[in-house]
Amino acid sequence: MTCEGGAISDGGQEVNMENMSMEETVAESPYCTSLEPVSRNRYKELVKRYVGRDPFLMKMSEFSVELEDLPTVEAVDITNYLVLQTSYYTRQQMKAYKSLEAYNFFVSGWVHNLGTKRLQDDHRLVFAGVNHSQRSGETPLKTWIIAKEDGEVIAAHCNCMAGLSESCSHVGAVLFSIEVGVKMRDTASCTTEQCKWLMPSHVKKVR
């Protein structure tokens, strides 16, 4: 039954049709709204398809710090994403990965508060803070990555300027962190306490 003010009656409850839309809207972060139209639409579709909420609006309390929840990212997955998928690095650069800025960020301990959130269809959302390259006193950058449970990287974003291309040194640093975290997790001697996020102090033990 139609009621006054454009509302309809549904079993005695009024539903305002003016406040309803055919498609549920998702709150946008300042990062999302700053994107140019094409990139912004792609970002929104990505968030809607895999997460349902803008990761930049999530709280760290929503993420697990257990290594067992990390996607199984391996070196080949990092290369596929940074070289083949986004062309951020060349194949030759990846062969000398230890000289990359991304790897240096990781071993320098600039990646912190790394957490994982399980998504639908065996996907994982990994979120982390990464220090600025030359301005360690500033608020850390925020970086997130969506990957399949088996380690295939779907997409990534960072709120630095270079992150607009869905890849940057901060994204690479987080990927290296995940890779080493997975190696820690899979180490036979890994105890419950060791399986917490303890990088980068254990880097030399697993690489």
Side-chain angles (χ1 to χ4, degrees):
M1 181 191 330
T2 302
C3 301
E4 184 179 358
I8 62 173
S9 176
D10 182 14
Q13 295 182 338
E14 290 188 358
V15 180
N16 193 333
M17 297 301 292
E18 294 178 355
N19 294 331
M20 296 180 64
S21 62
M22 296 298 294
E23 185 175 311
E24 183 180 358
T25 59
V26 177
E28 300 177 9
S29 64
Y31 172 83
C32 177
T33 58
S34 71
L35 299 174
E36 52 87 18
V38 174
S39 297
R40 182 180 179 185
N41 287 334
R42 171 176 166 76
Y43 182 89
K44 291 167 65 177
E45 284 298 318
L46 185 68
V47 168
K48 178 184 175 183
R49 178 178 179 183
Y50 292 103
V51 189
R53 295 170 55 201
D54 191 324
F56 285 127
L57 296 178
M58 291 183 176
K59 299 178 180 179
M60 286 309 301
S61 59
E62 300 180 57
F63 294 83
S64 166
V65 297
E66 299 291 342
L67 295 184
E68 64 181 18
D69 292 321
L70 288 172
T72 310
V73 171
E74 300 178 346
V76 65
D77 300 303
I78 298 176
T79 298
N80 284 342
Y81 186 74
L82 296 180
V83 177
L84 303 180
Q85 193 167 331
T86 63
S87 300
Y88 186 73
Y89 287 128
T90 65
R91 191 179 298 275
Q92 287 301 116
Q93 287 175 311
M94 284 302 298
K95 287 183 178 180
Y97 70 92
K98 289 187 178 181
S99 66
L100 297 177
E101 185 178 52
Y103 185 76
N104 288 328
F105 285 178
F106 161 60
V107 296
S108 296
W110 289 4
V111 178
H112 51 88
N113 292 334
L114 187 142
T116 306
K117 185 176 179 64
R118 292 175 179 265
L119 305 176
Q120 294 182 344
D121 300 324
D122 292 326
H123 288 84
R124 302 286 188 272
L125 171 65
V126 181
F127 195 95
V130 184
N131 291 348
H132 289 264
S133 57
Q134 301 295 332
R135 305 182 299 277
S136 59
E138 292 190 13
T139 301
L141 295 162
K142 296 179 179 180
T143 304
W144 60 257
I145 293 166
I146 294 175
K148 294 182 179 179
E149 184 180 21
D150 65 8
E152 179 185 348
V153 182
I154 304 299
H157 274 271
C158 176
N159 63 348
C160 72
M161 292 301 295
L164 297 177
S165 61
E166 301 186 20
S167 189
C168 61
S169 294
H170 309 104
V171 167
V174 174
L175 288 173
F176 283 124
S177 299
I178 297 172
E179 179 200 11
V180 174
V182 169
K183 289 182 178 181
M184 288 177 59
R185 178 185 68 192
D186 295 342
T187 299
S189 61
C190 187
T191 65
T192 301
E193 196 59 33
Q194 288 175 322
C195 280
K196 301 289 185 180
W197 188 246
L198 298 176
M199 304 308 295
S201 59
H202 293 280
V203 173
K204 294 182 180 179
K205 295 183 179 181
V206 293
R207 290 197 73 85

